[in-house]
Amino acid sequence: NLKDKYCNHPYNTISINGIGDVFVCICQAWLPISVGKIWDFKNLNDIVNTEKSLAIQKSIEDGSYRYCDNTACSIIQENNLIDSKPKSLVNWINFSLDESCNLSCPSCRKEFRFVKESSPEYANKIYQVNHIIKLIEQHQSNLKFTVSGDGDPFASLIYRHFLSSLDLTDNKNIEIELVTNGILIKDFWDKIEKIHNNLVRTKISFDAGSDIIYESVRRGGNWNKFLDSVKYLVAWKKQSKSNMTLTANFVVQRANYKDMKNYVELCTELDFDEINFQKLQDWGTFEKFDDENIFSKTNKSYTDFLKTISDP
């Protein structure tokens, strides 16, 4: 019974997956009901006003939350709900369009995944993306989205097409966050110039502070090319006087925890705005996750890990 406690997502958040299904939640696993296909909508706000969307909103208003998976949803579990009913207005998009990446990091995936231009899947995804571009460009109210949590925005041909085709030159209402492994930034940065002014944050995955560790945990990566791209972006930000926040990410695991200090020193030297550490998550990519999960008290390196993070 969550009467008078509201989740804002079914009113203003949409998630779009790789086959065009749209969900009115930040995570389709938390609310696993598609409210339609993205190409069937003429504007973004129509999505939160479909018959299914209104039924989901009704379940929030009566406190039942009967369409939500309350065992998976961290918003319900952690009681991060609000006290007033939100307006039905889309202001956030979560993309899960393409898993293509130029790396196959052990912490993320077992094998290399990439959608080629010659595949039927590519044509379907491009059709989908072209429609999404129209919806975003005509959206007049505030909107934020991240590209992306599933594939790399510069390696994926799908996301690359999306970012390079999107023209937000005269649209200040839209804010974009990029999440990337950083390797191809220098090669493609100029091709997304029509969204440069809309970029509020770029998150770059380091997972290391030295070449040997980097090429171990970032499988398929090249340390020198990576650093060259990162330095290029730092220089671009200063030269263009951009307000974009530069964020460094580091997924802590047994293979790289001893490189945490090197990473902090490197990112400080590079003049990053934010330096993040993240816990390793179990995506089913390790044969024995507990052996890699340095946060576990049963891990044989746990005591040494505590010494490492005690370094100021």
Side-chain angles (χ1 to χ4, degrees):
N1 181 18
L2 295 171
K3 182 72 173 171
D4 298 325
K5 291 290 184 179
Y6 298 88
C7 176
N8 66 293
H9 291 305
Y11 298 87
N12 55 41
T13 300
I14 63 171
S15 293
I16 311 170
N17 69 14
I19 57 174
D21 283 314
V22 187
F23 304 82
V24 286
C25 185
I26 198 168
C27 177
Q28 65 188 61
W30 295 353
L31 208 170
I33 298 173
S34 171
V35 299
K37 294 289 189 181
I38 188 62
W39 47 76
D40 291 331
F41 295 100
K42 294 183 178 179
N43 69 73
L44 292 176
N45 289 328
D46 285 347
I47 297 171
V48 292
N49 287 291
T50 67
E51 185 177 341
K52 287 183 178 179
S53 297
L54 294 175
I56 292 168
Q57 293 167 16
K58 177 68 175 175
S59 76
I60 290 174
E61 291 157 23
D62 66 23
S64 69
Y65 282 73
R66 59 185 170 274
Y67 299 105
C68 303
D69 183 349
N70 61 11
T71 63
C73 175
S74 63
I75 296 171
I76 293 176
Q77 289 183 345
E78 297 171 15
N79 196 26
N80 289 325
L81 302 170
I82 57 178
D83 296 326
S84 58
K85 178 183 173 181
K87 293 180 180 179
S88 292
L89 188 69
V90 173
N91 59 29
W92 179 267
I93 303 177
N94 184 45
F95 291 111
S96 300
L97 304 179
D98 183 32
E99 292 184 319
S100 295
C101 186
N102 51 332
L103 302 182
S104 60
C105 304
S107 60
C108 177
R109 55 189 67 188
K110 290 183 177 181
E111 69 285 321
F112 179 73
R113 300 176 202 159
F114 194 81
V115 174
K116 296 181 179 179
E117 196 169 359
S118 57
S119 70
E121 188 180 2
Y122 172 85
N124 292 336
K125 288 180 182 292
I126 291 297
Y127 171 77
Q128 177 181 342
V129 163
N130 286 337
H131 187 71
I132 293 171
I133 289 170
K134 290 179 184 178
L135 297 181
I136 291 174
E137 288 181 345
Q138 70 184 25
H139 194 71
Q140 295 302 311
S141 53
N142 292 338
L143 183 69
K144 296 181 180 181
F145 59 84
T146 298
V147 181
S148 169
D150 53 346
D152 187 84
F154 299 106
S156 162
L157 300 180
I158 312 302
Y159 283 124
R160 195 190 303 171
H161 172 81
F162 172 53
L163 295 175
S164 61
S165 301
L166 196 59
D167 188 352
L168 301 177
T169 308
D170 300 317
N171 194 333
K172 294 180 170 45
N173 294 322
I174 298 177
E175 296 182 349
I176 303 172
E177 176 185 77
L178 294 180
V179 179
T180 173
N181 60 47
I183 294 173
L184 298 175
I185 285 177
K186 185 176 180 180
D187 296 341
F188 295 103
W189 194 255
D190 288 344
K191 293 178 172 60
I192 63 168
E193 61 180 352
K194 292 180 181 178
I195 63 167
H196 278 174
N197 292 333
N198 303 87
L199 295 172
V200 294
R201 177 178 278 100
T202 295
K203 291 183 176 180
I204 301 177
S205 298
F206 279 69
D207 289 358
S210 62
D211 55 350
I212 295 175
I213 301 299
Y214 177 84
E215 292 179 12
S216 169
V217 296
R218 307 297 291 168
R219 191 165 53 202
N222 180 289
W223 177 249
N224 291 329
K225 183 172 177 59
F226 168 73
L227 281 186
D228 188 43
S229 264
V230 170
K231 290 175 182 177
Y232 170 85
L233 187 58
V234 171
W236 174 87
K237 181 188 173 184
K238 291 178 179 178
Q239 185 176 357
S240 63
K241 298 180 180 179
S242 170
N243 291 323
M244 177 186 73
T245 299
L246 268 179
T247 301
N249 283 346
F250 188 115
V251 177
V252 185
Q253 51 200 289
R254 183 180 59 83
N256 65 4
Y257 78 91
K258 291 185 178 180
D259 226 18
M260 295 170 75
K261 181 179 178 181
N262 291 333
Y263 160 73
V264 171
E265 291 175 345
L266 173 62
C267 293
T268 303
E269 181 183 339
L270 289 168
D271 202 21
F272 266 65
D273 302 304
E274 297 174 343
I275 303 173
N276 288 345
F277 288 106
Q278 298 165 283
K279 289 180 70 174
L280 182 70
Q281 299 295 320
D282 188 1
W283 301 112
T285 60
F286 293 111
E287 288 187 14
K288 294 182 178 180
F289 176 73
D290 289 344
D291 289 350
E292 310 302 328
N293 182 21
I294 199 70
F295 290 88
S296 171
K297 292 181 179 180
T298 60
N299 190 287
K300 61 183 180 181
S301 300
Y302 179 73
T303 302
D304 190 51
F305 167 61
L306 293 184
K307 293 178 182 177
T308 300
I309 62 171
S310 69
D311 187 323

